[in-house]
Amino acid sequence: MPRVFVVGSLNIDSVVEVERHPRPGETLMGGDVATFFGGKGANQAVAAAAAGAQVLFIGRVGDDAGGHDYIARLNARGIDASGVTVTQGSTTGHAMIALDAQAENTIIVSPGANARLTTADLGPLESVEPGDVLLAPLESDLEVIAEAARMAHSRGARVVLNLAPFAEIPAEVLALADPVVVNEHEAQQLERSGVSPESLLVTLGSAGSRWGSIEVAAARVDHVVDTTGAGDSYCGTLAAGLAAGLDARAAMQAASDAAGRAVEWVGAQPD
């Protein structure tokens, strides 16, 4: 099986539906709070596993019910959670999500144990081999992500970096990635930073995605419920496709189809 190593975050998501997002200083009444498993790293790992990859996850949870439940969930999804450290004295990361009537969301993240991830946690990457893929979004410490990229690249693996949430990464680290994945807003921030990755994949929402000269249309979606997990589903499925040896267009098409399915359920991961 193709192997995808994911370095990233694990969060418990609390989602509340609102008619519209509040303005600064404004209080709105919302619906009931629903709780889901999330975190960009874990979301992408779940998507990669669903796409057929053998996934090993590196991250941290707190020594609390949410953290232990999350490890059990990863194992149940066939994801190797041996690289997930239970962090004493810390809570599992938490995200608070407001979802409006147009299925657009705003998110506040409390990183918790995710912020305790260090380069000492990257030992599982010593088993990386040529043909494997390292996938990393940016909800973890940037020095850890940079070192993970260096380790994986030096062992012949393909590095896929998702600049979400956006942060400035040294150009020498971005140069290791093939591709760097950003959405339209992150692409603008990247341009303003003055760094131009050689391999850049831009997701364009309903307009599809573009990787260099390759353009793929978005999947047709009849009913959008929640856009929270679309980008992560895209990245995880893309990484799985590249690890399986798909060419760029085929991997993008599979990723686009997965992102289209992801907006049809509430929460960042399917049940």
Side-chain angles (χ1 to χ4, degrees):
M1 294 177 65
R3 296 202 303 172
V4 176
F5 291 73
V6 181
V7 177
S9 56
L10 306 101
N11 292 330
I12 304 298
D13 291 351
S14 295
V15 180
V16 60
E17 295 186 4
V18 293
E19 183 63 27
R20 60 175 176 81
H21 293 291
R23 293 183 287 270
E26 182 182 21
T27 298
L28 295 179
M29 300 299 290
D32 293 338
V33 175
T35 301
F36 303 94
F37 292 94
K40 297 193 72 63
N43 297 343
Q44 295 181 15
V46 167
Q54 179 182 345
V55 180
L56 186 145
F57 195 89
I58 299 172
R60 282 182 175 257
V61 294
D63 187 14
D64 52 21
H68 292 288
D69 287 348
Y70 218 142
I71 290 175
R73 177 180 176 82
L74 294 178
N75 288 329
R77 293 298 180 100
I79 296 170
D80 183 347
S82 62
V84 178
T85 301
V86 176
T87 309
Q88 302 297 319
S90 183
T91 58
T92 299
H94 199 106
M96 288 138 290
I97 301 169
L99 179 66
D100 73 11
Q102 285 70 49
E104 296 295 336
N105 60 72
T106 56
I107 304 173
I108 298 173
V109 176
S110 173
N114 294 310
R116 275 71 172 177
L117 192 69
T118 73
T119 55
D121 297 314
L122 298 178
L125 292 183
E126 294 178 0
S127 65
V128 164
E129 299 175 350
D132 294 338
V133 171
L134 169 73
L135 173 61
L138 301 188
E139 278 187 338
S140 302
D141 182 89
L142 298 183
E143 285 298 325
V144 176
I145 297 302
E147 181 58 23
R150 296 184 188 104
M151 288 179 66
H153 187 268
S154 70
R155 288 164 171 78
R158 185 175 200 144
V159 176
V160 178
L161 294 179
N162 173 215
L163 304 193
F166 182 82
E168 293 191 8
I169 298 291
E172 56 94 4
V173 176
L174 291 180
L176 304 178
D178 184 23
V180 172
V181 183
V182 294
N183 63 23
E184 293 177 273
H185 303 295
E186 293 151 0
Q188 293 171 359
Q189 292 173 290
L190 184 62
E191 183 177 1
R192 287 195 294 269
S193 76
V195 178
S196 300
E198 293 184 11
S199 180
L200 182 66
L201 193 162
V202 184
T203 60
L204 303 166
S206 61
S209 55
R210 181 178 65 247
W211 185 357
S213 61
I214 302 171
E215 296 186 2
V216 169
R220 177 178 175 179
V221 180
D222 294 326
H223 181 54
V224 177
V225 175
D226 181 5
T227 60
T228 302
D232 292 335
S233 292
Y234 187 103
C235 290
T237 305
L238 178 80
L242 295 174
L246 298 183
D247 62 26
R249 183 177 296 278
M252 292 170 67
Q253 187 63 64
S256 182
D257 292 343
R261 293 190 296 272
V263 303
E264 296 179 334
W265 63 68
V266 176
Q269 298 176 20
D271 292 334

